[in-house]
Amino acid sequence: NSKLRHVEKDVLIPQIMRDRAKELCSDKVQAFTKCCQETGLLMVVKCRQENTALKDCLVGYYSDPLFYEECKAEYLKQREEYRATGIKKKRQKLTSNV
C-alpha cells in the first residue's frame, strides 16, 4: 500500500529530502560553517556569498520533482521494512572528516 498520510507527505518525506540535500550540498554547508566560525558576529555581512550558494544548492534539490520521487521511494522502502520487521532503521549519515 503506497498511499501516503498527510504527516508522511508534509513531514517525513521532506525530512529525508532535507537530510539528503544537506549531504549532497555538504561542500557548501562546510564553507558556510567555516566562514561563520571565522567571522563571528559579522557573519551576516561577510558570509553572504556562502549563504547564498548554500541556499541555492538546497532549494535546487527541494524544488526538483525527481529528487522528491527518489526520497519518497526511499521513505516507502523504509516504511515497508518497518512494517515487515517492526524495527525502525535509522538513515545512515555520510560521515565527513571535518
Side-chain angles (χ1 to χ4, degrees), residues 63-81:
S63 58
D64 181 351
L66 289 175
F67 185 67
Y68 175 83
E69 290 303 321
E70 283 176 30
C71 293
K72 177 179 160 185
E74 181 180 332
Y75 172 76
L76 289 172
K77 184 178 173 211
Q78 289 174 3
R79 185 177 79 171
E80 187 178 319
E81 288 174 9

Side-chain angles (χ1 to χ4, degrees), residues 8-25:
E8 292 171 317
K9 279 192 273 191
D10 296 343
V11 178
L12 300 175
I13 294 171
Q15 182 61 53
I16 290 173
M17 291 177 75
R18 280 190 298 276
D19 291 346
R20 285 194 59 206
K22 280 183 195 166
E23 290 169 5
L24 294 166
C25 298

Side-chain angles (χ1 to χ4, degrees), residues 55 58 86:
K55 276 191 206 171
L58 294 173

Side-chain angles (χ1 to χ4, degrees), residues 38-82:
E38 290 172 356
T39 56
L41 293 174
L42 296 174
M43 70 184 174
V44 174
V45 176
K46 299 239 180 191
C47 301
R48 192 172 289 148
Q49 188 175 341
E50 290 84 352
N51 188 30
T52 299
L54 174 56
K55 276 191 206 171
D56 289 348
C57 184
L58 294 173
V59 169
Y61 283 110
Y62 298 157
S63 58
D64 181 351
L66 289 175
F67 185 67
Y68 175 83
E69 290 303 321
E70 283 176 30
C71 293
K72 177 179 160 185
E74 181 180 332
Y75 172 76
L76 289 172
K77 184 178 173 211
Q78 289 174 3
R79 185 177 79 171
E80 187 178 319
E81 288 174 9
Y82 173 73

